Amino acid sequence: MEAALDAGADMVGLMFFPKSPRHVSLSQACKLADMARGKAEIVAVTVNMDLDGLSRINELVAPDTFQFHGSESPEACAAVKVMQGTKIMKAVAVSEKADLEEAQYYAIVADRILFDAKPPQGSDLPGGNGVSFDWTLLKDLDLKKPYMLSGGLNVANVAEAIRLSGARAVDVSSAVERERGVKDNDLIRAFIAAAKNA
């Protein structure tokens, strides 16, 4: 968290998904959120979580944004936005141009869309798999909402990904880890520098 903040990360994500190697407990999340508050937007990443769980995160961690990375419907996103009083970011899995149509429905209610690659066959994680999709699919996308690019981004390709997709924001996780679920401060700094330079 310190490395991300020092390097100028605009947003920091806290993962609330027990299957993920990046999962954090509520107590860990509270400490990390306190470090980031006022320095970066705090994003609580969830996957098909029930309203009780979301309410508990909102009450204890007080994130600025909930990122939904499961099969949550546009209606569910809208309900959480009203009930919790937070911003909503919805992840949309992409492998072909037709997948972008789904984003239009979510853009009506979400504050931001996150375009991520569809998980590889056999993966039980909806994101953080280190795979990418054809970035040119996003070029000239008329969404009327901000969006982020995710999936398979790393220090070596993030500049090209920004150029080809037209994305104004990017998301990274597995590519800044020295081993699965363990972040590397130098990789974090290098990625953020590369993204900002692009």
Side-chain angles (χ1 to χ4, degrees), residues 95-102 137:
S95 65
E96 58 186 350
K97 195 162 188 73
D99 297 323
L100 300 180
E101 291 174 23
E102 184 182 15
L137 294 175

Side-chain angles (χ1 to χ4, degrees), residues 5-106:
L5 295 171
D6 289 345
D10 300 297
M11 306 171 101
V12 289
L14 303 174
M15 179 65 67
F16 297 94
F17 184 52
K19 288 183 179 179
S20 171
R22 302 160 190 106
H23 174 71
V24 291
S25 67
L26 277 170
S27 61
Q28 288 172 314
C30 289
K31 291 174 188 164
L32 292 167
D34 285 344
M35 292 170 67
R37 204 165 317 280
K39 298 174 185 168
E41 188 172 331
I42 300 162
V43 181
V45 183
T46 66
V47 180
N48 300 325
M49 185 176 280
D50 62 26
L51 283 173
D52 285 345
L54 295 172
S55 295
R56 192 156 169 74
I57 292 170
N58 199 29
E59 180 185 336
L60 297 175
V61 182
D64 301 296
T65 299
F66 274 107
Q67 178 184 315
F68 295 141
H69 219 107
S71 57
E72 303 88 352
S73 68
E75 294 78 11
C77 293
V80 170
K81 185 174 179 174
V82 172
M83 292 170 69
Q84 306 298 340
T86 62
K87 290 187 279 187
I88 299 296
M89 183 189 318
K90 179 65 178 87
V92 173
V94 178
S95 65
E96 58 186 350
K97 195 162 188 73
D99 297 323
L100 300 180
E101 291 174 23
E102 184 182 15
Q104 300 292 347
Y105 298 105
Y106 286 105

Side-chain angles (χ1 to χ4, degrees), residues 65-191:
T65 299
F66 274 107
Q67 178 184 315
F68 295 141
H69 219 107
S71 57
E72 303 88 352
S73 68
E75 294 78 11
C77 293
V80 170
K81 185 174 179 174
V82 172
M83 292 170 69
Q84 306 298 340
T86 62
K87 290 187 279 187
I88 299 296
M89 183 189 318
K90 179 65 178 87
V92 173
V94 178
S95 65
E96 58 186 350
K97 195 162 188 73
D99 297 323
L100 300 180
E101 291 174 23
E102 184 182 15
Q104 300 292 347
Y105 298 105
Y106 286 105
I108 296 167
V109 296
D111 298 280
R112 185 186 295 266
I113 301 294
L114 176 103
F115 290 107
D116 198 356
K118 284 193 175 173
Q121 201 164 4
S123 174
D124 58 355
L125 298 178
N129 293 295
V131 295
S132 59
F133 62 95
D134 179 0
W135 301 314
T136 61
L137 294 175
L138 299 183
K139 197 74 172 173
D140 304 320
L141 178 68
D142 184 19
L143 198 59
K144 299 191 173 43
K145 286 286 174 77
Y147 66 88
M148 294 180 77
L149 177 62
S150 186
L153 300 178
N154 57 49
V155 173
N157 70 15
V158 67
E160 183 185 16
I162 290 169
R163 182 179 63 79
L164 292 176
S165 67
R168 307 286 303 171
V170 291
D171 172 273
V172 69
S173 189
S174 58
V176 292
E177 293 177 344
R178 63 174 168 265
E179 60 185 82
R180 194 165 161 80
V182 181
K183 296 289 183 276
D184 182 285
N185 291 347
D186 291 335
L187 288 173
I188 289 171
R189 291 187 190 99
F191 181 89

